[in-house]
Amino acid sequence: MLDDIVDNSQLIDGFGRQVNYLRLSVTDRCDLRCTYCMSEKMTFLPKTELLSFEELERLCSVFISRGVKHLRISGGEPLTRKDILSLFQKMKTHLESGALQELTLTTNATQLEKYAEELFECGVRRINVSLDTLDQENFQKITRRDKLSAVLRGIEIALRAGLKIKINTVALRHKNISELDKMVLWAHSQGMDMSLIEAMPMGAIDEDRVDQYIPLFEVKEMLTKTMTFEDCTYRTSGPSRYVTVKETGGRLGFISPLSHNFCESCNRVRITCTGQLYTCLGNDGMIDLRSPLREDPSNKKLICAIDQALLKKPRGHDFDISRRGQAPSVNRHMSVTGG
Ligand code: SAM
Ligand code: SF4
């Protein structure tokens, strides 16, 4: 497929930022209903709208040929898409050729026990697992489903399979902040890094995000009552800023899109399961890649559409959760473009 690709120049946006990171959402569906992410009653896309695995592979290959080094498969819940491993198997060839440096996954881990070993065989080495509480009742309240034990089993099996795990936790003012110190100790005791994330105003949900959002500088202040933070230069290709927790020796990251915007160093774009390219998480602007992909097997139209989209990549987002009853800053849910 790479033979068809005609352009090997790097992806540079209108502000001179180089894009080397692609997040691909392979489904908008999920087996959980986290209250900050979705409403209980969601209308998902008809499965017939989705790009096939062959089309997803073609898209990824074009981006890799244009300098994408990090590919994260996300969703919705990516492990709920039937035959998802076939995409990982295809992407393994780009890891083997050295064109791709890293193939990763963001998952809620409900099905991880089934897939962990094969993911490792496909070249996946690091994954992010989203988990907001270790308490079964609270898990049910936050996710509206009773699947904590499957998640914990999945984590255990994935660690045994050799996958490095980072736990991603959304800090929720009234739901989990009193547990966060325990979660940090638990994650570090299992050899896992952890990142805290601010709730973002994306997509309509059943609660008011004013009740959910807490700026991470407040959380940091709370945590420093029981643990000591030391400066840490560790960075991944993501937006987390890390400290080392002196008491555990483990790393704790902070992803603060609202209280500390990181757009100036943004290196990523996102594609939905129907082939819409979003160049900014906090903006509704997108370009359709499905039509050029289907119309032109040579990939020329696709490459042209990607270049046009890149030039229009916004300088940054404008997230705001300051007023009760406020409409979300962007209409789509995080599950459409993946986190
Ligand atoms: N289902 C998978 C999971 O939960 O890991 C992958 C998709 S999920 C949309 C990716 C990440 O986005 C998760 O870590 C989730 O907590 C986060 N997320 C979803 N909606 C969010 C929101 N409105 N604000 C902040 N983070 C959100
Ligand atoms: Fe599903 Fe992930 Fe959204 Fe939770 S955060 S509802 S697991 S897509």
Side-chain angles (χ1 to χ4, degrees):
M1 199 59 68
L2 279 173
D3 295 346
D4 294 332
I5 296 163
V6 292
D7 190 343
N8 288 315
S9 59
Q10 304 292 297
L11 295 167
I12 311 277
D13 78 0
F15 298 96
R17 294 170 297 192
Q18 185 177 350
V19 169
N20 59 15
Y21 188 142
L22 173 64
R23 285 200 177 170
L24 177 67
S25 172
V26 293
T27 176
D28 63 333
R29 289 166 194 254
C30 189
D31 54 351
L32 300 182
R33 291 287 183 283
C34 303
T35 45
Y36 54 85
C37 176
M38 293 187 182
S39 60
E40 172 64 82
K41 289 199 175 71
M42 291 290 287
T43 308
F44 294 115
L45 291 162
K47 285 188 182 160
T48 48
E49 292 279 304
L50 267 56
L51 294 183
S52 67
F53 282 123
E54 199 182 32
E55 289 170 328
L56 291 173
E57 182 205 343
R58 234 179 98 199
L59 260 186
C60 291
S61 298
V62 167
F63 274 89
I64 291 166
S65 78
R66 299 288 309 275
V68 160
K69 298 285 176 209
H70 305 271
L71 175 61
R72 178 174 293 279
I73 307 298
S74 186
E77 175 45 43
L79 298 183
T80 61
R81 181 151 174 186
K82 198 163 167 266
D83 297 329
I84 183 63
L85 282 176
S86 65
L87 181 65
F88 282 93
Q89 277 150 7
K90 287 275 168 24
M91 291 303 109
K92 185 183 182 187
T93 55
H94 293 304
L95 285 173
E96 286 168 345
S97 76
L100 189 63
Q101 271 171 22
E102 190 175 45
L103 176 59
T104 50
L105 166 77
T106 303
T107 177
N108 63 24
T110 57
Q111 321 234 4
L112 193 53
E113 62 180 312
K114 194 161 107 197
Y115 289 111
E117 281 185 14
E118 284 168 291
L119 286 167
F120 189 87
E121 279 163 25
C122 291
V124 177
R125 293 292 176 268
R126 269 185 342 125
I127 63 172
N128 288 352
V129 169
S130 309
L131 180 62
D132 304 314
T133 176
L134 290 170
D135 178 85
Q136 193 163 358
E137 222 173 282
N138 206 18
F139 185 91
Q140 198 156 354
K141 276 191 199 146
I142 294 174
T143 68
R144 301 184 177 108
R145 298 293 184 269
D146 184 14
K147 297 198 176 186
L148 179 62
S149 33
V151 170
L152 296 178
R153 267 197 320 274
I155 290 173
E156 197 187 324
I157 286 171
L159 288 172
R160 240 187 279 148
L163 292 168
K164 277 205 170 314
I165 297 182
K166 176 161 76 87
I167 299 292
N168 276 347
T169 303
V170 178
L172 299 163
R173 186 177 283 281
H174 299 297
K175 291 205 171 136
N176 66 359
I177 48 170
S178 61
E179 283 183 59
L180 294 180
D181 52 353
K182 275 178 247 129
M183 286 190 73
V184 174
L185 297 181
W186 167 78
H188 289 178
S189 73
Q190 311 287 311
M192 302 185 287
D193 288 345
M194 179 165 163
S195 279
L196 297 171
I197 307 174
E198 284 175 347
M200 292 173 236
M202 300 184 64
I205 53 170
D206 302 330
E207 297 180 1
D208 197 315
R209 285 208 171 84
V210 167
D211 295 322
Q212 300 178 336
Y213 173 68
I214 173 164
L216 287 188
F217 60 79
E218 266 187 49
V219 176
K220 215 169 181 176
E221 222 173 270
M222 274 174 36
L223 290 175
T224 48
K225 289 187 183 139
T226 55
M227 50 187 80
T228 320
F229 293 161
E230 294 177 330
D231 289 344
C232 171
T233 53
Y234 176 75
R235 288 295 307 268
T236 62
S237 48
S240 253
R241 298 289 182 277
Y242 287 92
V243 296
T244 302
V245 176
K246 188 175 172 199
E247 289 76 5
T248 61
R251 283 189 289 251
L252 179 63
F254 295 87
I255 303 177
S256 319
L258 284 97
S259 66
H260 181 216
N261 176 315
F262 39 69
C263 300
E264 73 284 351
S265 58
C266 183
N267 61 345
R268 67 198 54 202
V269 293
R270 295 171 164 84
I271 298 182
T272 70
C273 56
T274 57
Q276 297 178 333
L277 173 64
Y278 284 87
T279 55
C280 176
L281 180 67
N283 198 288
D284 278 321
M286 61 87 182
I287 280 202
D288 168 51
L289 297 183
R290 188 171 59 180
S291 307
L293 183 76
R294 289 185 176 169
E295 279 164 17
D296 175 13
S298 79
N299 290 338
K300 279 188 190 146
K301 280 193 180 173
L302 179 61
I303 287 169
C304 200
I306 294 170
D307 284 339
Q308 276 173 12
L310 251 265
L311 284 178
K312 289 191 195 145
K313 182 169 161 65
R315 183 189 285 274
H317 65 69
D318 216 2
F319 283 146
D320 180 27
I321 306 183
S322 53
R323 280 172 291 116
R324 200 161 275 284
Q326 193 175 7
S329 304
V330 296
N331 292 322
R332 66 180 195 282
H333 295 91
M334 179 78 109
S335 51
V336 173
T337 37

